[in-house]
Amino acid sequence: MNLQAQVELITVPQDFTRLCNTVLQAEYGADFLPIDDDRADRGNDGYLKSEKRMFAAHCFKRIQNRGLDSEIRAKMLGDLKKAIALRDQGDWEILRWTFLCNYPIPEGIAAEVHTFGLRAGIDVSWCGPGYFAEVLQRVTSVRQLFPNLMGNDVLDRLDEISRMIESLSPNVDDAEPLVNWVPQDSVEQRALISQAPPAWEYLLFASVLQQGKQRLEPKWRDFRTGYGRRSGVYHDESSGIQRISGAFDDMQGIVGRMMMVFPADTQEEAFGPPGVPGNSDNIIHLGGRILSGYEEILDWASDIRGEVYPESIRGVAELAAQMAKRPAEDIRDFIDRVFFEVSKVPDLLALPDPHVEISLTLTVTADDAAVREFTKEVRRVRRRLRL
């Protein structure tokens, strides 16, 4: 059973609260303030100082199922209303609110809670079992505090011991297994390159993209939750709006540089002309350039959010950062599409009369509505400041 499934099975609220606090302290350090859950907390299960973000945590005392949708809705809206009350009373400054749970949030409830938060002026988000599983997998010190969730580690260790025993056996068949799938790690990539089965170039390309996407998932999650690491750069209104005004041009520059890897001659240098083998170094470089562009987009949004602006233009800064959403999603969709299409190639080639067509077209677009809203707000602020 994988880590995510194990997190979903937690039914002791105290255990889930301890997991939430441990994960958030590992992610944010002293910036995160845990709240004693054994006393009345008024819906505040933790607070992130730098982002003015309040957390509410919840797990069911029985295994979650579809029949609990009404309870999920009641819990989320109830805790969000408590956060709004705490803000209105002046007890806590709350700009953002995140719901922590070990179950998926139904789309209808998600839309309702998100809209409710917008009307109250609070940015709403939630982190489910996938988030906790990823941190447990990534941060060993956190995982070691929850030995009941370490089944995967035990199995991995047993596999490692088994491989060691097999390597000592004189009867082991040393023949390297044929890799004709999208490699999952660098070892399989090297085997694929050395064996060069049909369409190996595309299998390698899909592997580079998929592994790079997985590596950047923490940054993607930070972007979706609105997080930006503090840079120590402070702006007044004038310098802040000057910084933000060039945001769209910056984004276009990042995308333009990334798209330079797509001319036909560049792709041919990587994958080779028809009937000619490709070049593994060029394929890896091509995939790396796309991933670098994706990472640069996420870092660009994080840099904007990480700088400090006067209250009057914070909204404009967030609108600027949100312009990264559509380009980043386009790249993620491209990577997933390449992985899906290329994964089918070995089976298609095994057919009696194989016919395979692979399209590697990446189209990166801008969210016109987001750009218009951003441009409108920048003009309004500049008129007010007479710039």
Side-chain angles (χ1 to χ4, degrees):
M1 183 183 300
N2 62 31
L3 279 174
Q4 178 170 330
Q6 293 179 65
V7 172
E8 291 174 353
L9 292 176
I10 295 175
T11 56
V12 179
Q14 293 82 358
D15 289 347
F16 185 64
T17 297
R18 187 167 71 91
L19 174 62
C20 293
N21 287 339
T22 303
V23 165
L24 292 173
Q25 286 176 321
E27 292 282 76
Y28 302 109
D31 195 26
F32 170 70
L33 302 178
I35 302 298
D36 184 359
D37 193 49
D38 292 332
R39 305 181 185 184
D41 55 26
R42 300 184 295 172
N44 179 7
D45 292 322
Y47 185 77
L48 192 59
K49 295 182 289 183
S50 65
E51 297 183 13
K52 298 179 176 58
R53 182 186 302 276
M54 182 164 289
F55 294 91
H58 177 250
C59 78
F60 285 101
K61 295 181 180 179
R62 59 193 184 282
I63 302 300
Q64 192 265 337
N65 58 60
R66 294 181 183 274
L68 299 177
D69 282 7
S70 61
E71 297 181 39
I72 295 173
R73 177 183 179 277
K75 178 61 178 175
M76 291 187 75
L77 287 174
D79 281 357
L80 179 54
K81 290 176 182 177
K82 290 179 182 179
I84 294 170
L86 290 176
R87 181 199 63 182
D88 294 344
Q89 293 166 10
D91 293 347
W92 293 88
E93 185 178 1
I94 303 172
L95 299 180
R96 300 172 178 86
W97 180 84
T98 297
F99 188 71
L100 306 171
C101 57
N102 67 332
Y103 47 82
I105 303 298
E107 191 279 333
I109 298 173
E112 183 179 359
V113 174
H114 181 258
T115 301
F116 193 92
L118 286 178
R119 291 172 179 169
I122 292 180
D123 180 53
V124 169
S125 61
W126 46 86
C127 294
Y131 167 72
F132 294 102
E134 189 280 328
V135 177
L136 283 163
Q137 188 66 44
R138 173 165 49 89
V139 185
T140 304
S141 60
V142 173
R143 191 166 66 252
Q144 289 174 342
L145 295 175
F146 297 88
N148 57 317
L149 300 178
M150 290 178 64
N152 281 359
D153 282 358
V154 174
L155 292 176
D156 289 344
R157 183 57 181 161
L158 288 175
D159 286 342
E160 181 181 344
I161 294 172
S162 177
R163 288 193 297 270
M164 291 174 62
I165 294 174
E166 290 176 356
S167 69
L168 298 175
S169 172
N171 298 319
V172 170
D173 184 1
D174 293 329
E176 188 175 53
L178 177 64
V179 176
N180 64 343
W181 57 82
V182 177
Q184 299 299 304
D185 53 39
S186 59
V187 174
E188 291 186 355
Q189 282 186 0
R190 289 193 294 271
L192 176 75
I193 293 170
S194 66
Q195 296 168 3
W200 69 268
E201 298 92 341
Y202 298 96
L203 295 171
L204 176 61
F205 183 62
S207 173
V208 171
L209 291 179
Q210 190 66 17
Q211 290 185 48
K213 176 172 175 274
Q214 290 298 320
R215 176 179 60 82
L216 294 173
E217 282 301 282
K219 289 192 176 184
W220 169 247
R221 187 164 48 253
D222 282 345
F223 171 76
R224 292 192 63 190
T225 58
Y227 175 75
R229 186 175 297 278
R230 290 293 180 260
S231 64
V233 177
Y234 294 80
H235 293 285
D236 57 21
E237 284 188 323
S238 179
S239 66
I241 201 63
Q242 293 289 356
R243 162 74 169 95
I244 296 168
S245 294
F248 186 61
D249 290 338
D250 287 345
M251 175 60 65
Q252 287 183 313
I254 294 172
V255 173
R257 290 191 296 274
M258 183 183 64
M259 298 304 290
M260 291 173 64
V261 304
F262 276 92
D265 57 342
T266 302
Q267 292 194 45
E268 188 171 285
E269 289 177 0
F271 298 100
V276 177
N279 183 294
S280 60
D281 290 337
N282 289 346
I283 292 171
I284 294 171
H285 180 77
L286 178 65
R289 290 267 50 86
I290 296 171
L291 293 167
S292 293
Y294 171 51
E295 184 173 17
E296 192 173 354
I297 288 172
L298 298 179
D299 287 343
W300 171 86
S302 178
D303 289 345
I304 290 177
R305 287 169 167 162
E307 297 178 11
V308 181
Y309 308 89
E311 181 69 30
S312 58
I313 62 172
R314 287 178 189 169
V316 186
E318 181 56 29
L319 286 174
Q322 281 298 324
M323 289 193 297
K325 184 173 184 289
R326 177 68 62 78
E329 287 178 338
D330 286 342
I331 298 170
R332 292 175 61 84
D333 289 345
F334 170 76
I335 293 173
D336 291 342
R337 190 170 68 253
V338 169
F339 180 81
F340 177 75
E341 294 296 333
V342 171
S343 295
K344 298 186 296 185
V345 169
D347 290 337
L348 293 175
L349 290 175
L351 295 175
D353 185 20
H355 178 71
V356 180
E357 292 184 4
I358 302 175
S359 174
L360 300 178
T361 302
L362 169 61
T363 302
V364 179
T365 59
D367 186 333
D368 293 338
V371 173
R372 283 196 302 270
E373 182 66 17
F374 166 72
T375 304
K376 175 183 174 182
E377 286 300 304
V378 168
R379 288 174 178 169
R380 183 183 64 79
V381 173
R382 292 181 73 90
R383 282 197 302 268
R384 181 173 60 79
L385 297 177
R386 297 181 181 180
L387 294 175

